[in-house]
Amino acid sequence: MSAKIENDLGVITIDNEVIARIAGITAMECYGIVGMAAKNVKDGFFQLLKVESLTKGIKVIVDENKISIDFHIIVEYGTNISAIADNIISTVKYKIEQTLELEVEKINIFVEGVRVDN
């Protein structure tokens, strides 16, 4: 289900893909995150996604114009995972609410791997 904003001029429909792209770009700007992760169905392993397929590691659910976002991420080795998750949650929540004027109900962070970033 897509998000809808109604005003006196009409209805604006925002697709989940757009919300995921905004959330993904914002999350990638946060310190300590190497990238998004997607599960390889064949092997069962998680792989690092390229910037073009960023939204495959993000799941957006819209229910009555309240947004829930699940991130599957890979973090940089030696960083504080709790601090990274808190930073992503607050930054993405602020950006989505300011940009789209929709309420973010919850953001879930799933750390799928740790990687040494060169």
Side-chain angles (χ1 to χ4, degrees):
M1 181 176 166
S2 300
K4 294 185 180 181
I5 302 172
E6 294 185 39
N7 62 23
D8 54 336
L9 299 175
V11 178
I12 301 168
T13 305
I14 303 169
D15 192 59
N16 288 359
E17 181 76 16
V18 174
I19 298 169
R21 184 156 305 274
I22 292 170
I25 291 169
T26 303
M28 288 302 295
E29 295 172 355
C30 295
Y31 175 77
I33 184 169
V34 176
M36 299 296 158
K39 189 172 188 178
N40 184 336
V41 178
K42 184 177 120 187
D43 300 330
F45 293 110
F46 285 90
Q47 64 184 22
L48 183 65
L49 294 172
K50 294 184 166 66
V51 176
E52 303 86 43
S53 54
L54 187 69
T55 58
K56 290 182 183 164
I58 302 169
K59 181 179 177 187
V60 175
I61 301 168
V62 179
D63 186 30
E64 297 178 14
N65 282 346
K66 291 185 179 178
I67 301 171
S68 297
I69 305 171
D70 292 345
F71 285 95
H72 295 270
I73 64 169
I74 297 175
V75 297
E76 185 177 342
Y77 177 78
T79 56
N80 185 333
I81 294 174
S82 165
I84 293 170
D86 288 341
N87 188 17
I88 292 171
I89 290 169
S90 64
T91 306
V92 170
K93 182 175 173 27
Y94 175 79
K95 186 70 161 190
I96 295 288
E97 289 179 348
Q98 293 301 311
T99 305
L100 303 177
E101 296 182 1
L102 294 169
E103 180 184 347
V104 176
E105 187 173 35
K106 68 179 173 180
I107 296 176
N108 299 312
I109 308 289
F110 299 94
V111 178
E112 305 297 354
V114 178
R115 189 171 208 188
V116 176
D117 196 23
N118 293 342

